[in-house]
Amino acid sequence: MITVTTSPATAPARRDAEATKAAILRAARHLLARHAHADITLKAVADRAGVSPPLILKYFGNKDTLFSQVMSFEADAAALLDAPLENLGRHMVRHVLLSQTRHGADPLLRIVFAPLHGEQGDILRANFRAQVGDRLAARLSGPDAGLRAELAVSALLGLGVMFGIARGTHLRAADLDDIADRWAPAVQAQLTP
Amino acid sequence: MITVTTSPATAPARRDAEATKAAILRAARHLLARHAHADITLKAVADRAGVSPPLILKYFGNKDTLFSQVMSFEADAAALLDAPLENLGRHMVRHVLLSQTRHGADPLLRIVFAPLHGEQGDILRANFRAQVGDRLAARLSGPDAGLRAELAVSALLGLGVMFGIARGTHLRAADLDDIADRWAPAVQAQLTP
C-alpha cells in the first residue's frame, strides 16, 4: 500500500527543489572537470545550471560546501556497500554494472577523472580512500584488511573503466548476472578469503 | 659477448634520434590529451618538443602517421602479453606494477584518458579493444574468450587506476610480489579457468 504523505501542492515543489539541486551539482562537477577549483565562480555554476547565484547559496550555503558535496563519495559508498559481507562482492559488481547500464557511468569512476596534479585532485583522492577504501576495510576481518579492500575496489574500478570508457564489446553484450557470476568471486576472495 | 656494430660516431647520433622521436611522441600525446586531433598543428607539436616541423616529417612522414603511433597500444601489448599462457596472469600484474613504480604510469592506463566523445577517443578505444583485448582473446581456449579477456584486462586496468590515480596507500606500500600473489589468481582464472 502506498501512503501519500505530501499534499498535491508540496510534492511538485519538493521534486523541483531536488531537480534544481541536482542541476547545480552537475554544473559544478562539469566545471570542476575542466577548471581549477579557485577559478570557478558561483556565477559560472549558476549560469551553467540555469539558476541564480542566490539560489545556490540558499541550497548549499556557500561555494565550499557546494564543492565538498561534489567531491564526496559518501552517498555513493553507502549504496555500493549496502549488503551483508558474505554477499558484498556480488552486490558491488551488480551495483557498478547497473549504474553503468542505467546512467552511463558509475559512482567510483569519478576518481578516474581526478586531476593528477593540484589541490582538487588531492581532495578527491583523499575522499575516495577514506570514504570508499577505508570504509570497506573497516568491515573486513583478518590481516591486511586495507590492502584487501583496495584490491576489491580495484576490481570494481577496472570493470567500470572497461565497460564505460574502453567500452568492451563483449562485456557490454553480456548478461549482467553472467558477468557477476564470473567477476564477483575475484572481489569476494579479497573480502572473505 | 657483446658485438659492437656501430662506430663511435654513429652511436650517439642514433641515441639522439631516439630521444628526439620520444620527445615528439610525448609532445603529441600531451597535446592530444588537451585538444581535438583536428586542432593540433605540426608546428604546435614541434614547438612543444623543441624541434622543427620538418624534423617531425623526417621521422614520422606526416601528421596522421605520427598520431597513429601516439594512439597505438601495439608496442605496449607486446610487452604486456610476453609470457606463456599458464603464467600470463602473474606476468601482466607484475608488468603493470613495475611500469607504475618505474615510470609513474602503466601502458594500459592511457585508455582512461581517452575523451568520451569525438573521433580521437573512438580511435583510441578501437585500438585498445583490437590491440589488447582481441589479441589476448586470440590466445585463450574455451568458450567466451572475448569476455574472459576483457575481464582479465579489467583487473589490470583497476590495479593501475588504484595505484596510479587513486594512489591507494596500502597498495603503494605493499611488496610487488605480495600484490602479485594476491591479484594474479583473479586474472589467471579468466585466462585458464
Side-chain angles (χ1 to χ4, degrees):
Chain A
M1 196 181 89
I2 298 166
T3 310
V4 177
T5 55
T6 50
S7 77
T10 59
R14 186 172 304 169
R15 211 156 53 223
D16 285 356
E18 288 307 312
T20 304
K21 276 190 207 172
I24 294 167
L25 286 170
R26 263 199 314 278
R29 208 165 273 166
H30 176 94
L31 292 169
L32 259 186
R34 287 156 185 83
H35 306 277
H37 177 246
D39 294 340
I40 304 172
T41 60
L42 264 193
K43 182 166 185 319
V45 179
D47 285 352
R48 190 169 173 86
V51 303
S52 69
L55 195 67
I56 298 183
L57 296 179
K58 181 188 160 195
Y59 284 141
F60 293 95
N62 59 44
K63 187 181 136 182
D64 283 346
T65 52
L66 167 64
F67 282 113
S68 72
Q69 283 205 29
V70 172
M71 297 204 267
S72 169
F73 291 89
E74 287 282 6
D76 301 324
L80 181 73
L81 300 176
D82 186 22
L85 188 61
E86 64 271 19
N87 191 39
L88 188 55
R90 188 176 186 90
H91 169 80
M92 293 197 294
V93 169
R94 284 180 51 89
H95 184 75
V96 164
L97 292 169
L98 282 171
S99 302
Q100 281 287 347
T101 50
R102 285 180 189 162
H103 310 298
D106 72 70
L108 295 184
L109 214 52
R110 262 194 299 142
I111 190 63
V112 164
F113 304 114
L116 291 174
H117 305 288
E119 188 201 11
Q120 184 208 330
D122 289 341
I123 295 172
L124 259 175
R125 269 184 285 279
N127 285 352
F128 184 83
R129 290 191 300 253
Q131 296 167 351
V132 182
D134 292 354
R135 189 163 163 183
L136 175 58
R139 290 183 57 187
L140 307 185
S141 315
D144 305 314
L147 179 57
R148 285 158 46 211
E150 286 185 355
L151 286 172
V153 173
S154 296
L156 303 171
L157 284 169
L159 191 66
V161 171
M162 183 50 102
F163 196 103
I165 300 179
R167 297 186 191 147
T169 45
H170 300 279
L171 204 54
R172 293 177 83 96
D175 176 70
L176 190 145
D177 279 303
D178 179 26
I179 302 171
D181 288 344
R182 295 167 186 267
W183 204 230
V187 183
Q188 194 66 38
Q190 300 299 327
L191 307 180
T192 49
Chain B
M1 196 180 91
I2 297 167
T3 310
V4 177
T5 56
T6 51
S7 76
T10 58
R14 186 172 304 169
R15 210 155 53 222
D16 284 355
E18 289 306 313
T20 304
K21 276 191 208 173
I24 294 167
L25 286 170
R26 262 201 312 278
R29 206 166 275 165
H30 177 93
L31 292 169
L32 259 185
R34 286 155 185 83
H35 306 278
H37 178 246
D39 295 339
I40 304 172
T41 60
L42 264 192
K43 182 163 184 320
V45 179
D47 284 352
R48 191 170 173 85
V51 303
S52 68
L55 195 68
I56 297 183
L57 295 179
K58 179 187 162 196
Y59 285 141
F60 293 95
N62 59 44
K63 187 180 137 182
D64 283 346
T65 52
L66 167 64
F67 281 113
S68 72
Q69 284 204 30
V70 173
M71 295 203 269
S72 171
F73 291 89
E74 287 282 7
D76 300 323
L80 182 73
L81 299 176
D82 186 22
L85 187 61
E86 65 271 21
N87 191 38
L88 188 55
R90 188 176 185 89
H91 168 80
M92 293 197 294
V93 169
R94 284 180 51 90
H95 183 75
V96 164
L97 292 170
L98 282 172
S99 303
Q100 282 286 348
T101 50
R102 285 180 189 163
H103 310 299
D106 72 70
L108 295 183
L109 214 52
R110 262 196 296 144
I111 190 63
V112 164
F113 304 113
L116 291 173
H117 305 288
E119 189 200 12
Q120 183 209 329
D122 289 341
I123 295 172
L124 258 176
R125 269 185 284 279
N127 285 352
F128 184 83
R129 291 191 299 252
Q131 296 166 352
V132 182
D134 293 353
R135 188 163 163 185
L136 175 57
R139 289 183 58 187
L140 307 184
S141 315
D144 305 314
L147 179 57
R148 285 158 44 211
E150 287 185 355
L151 286 172
V153 173
S154 297
L156 303 171
L157 283 170
L159 191 65
V161 170
M162 183 50 101
F163 197 104
I165 300 179
R167 299 186 190 149
T169 45
H170 301 278
L171 204 54
R172 294 176 83 97
D175 175 70
L176 190 144
D177 280 302
D178 179 28
I179 302 171
D181 288 343
R182 294 167 187 268
W183 203 230
V187 183
Q188 193 67 35
Q190 301 299 325
L191 307 180
T192 48

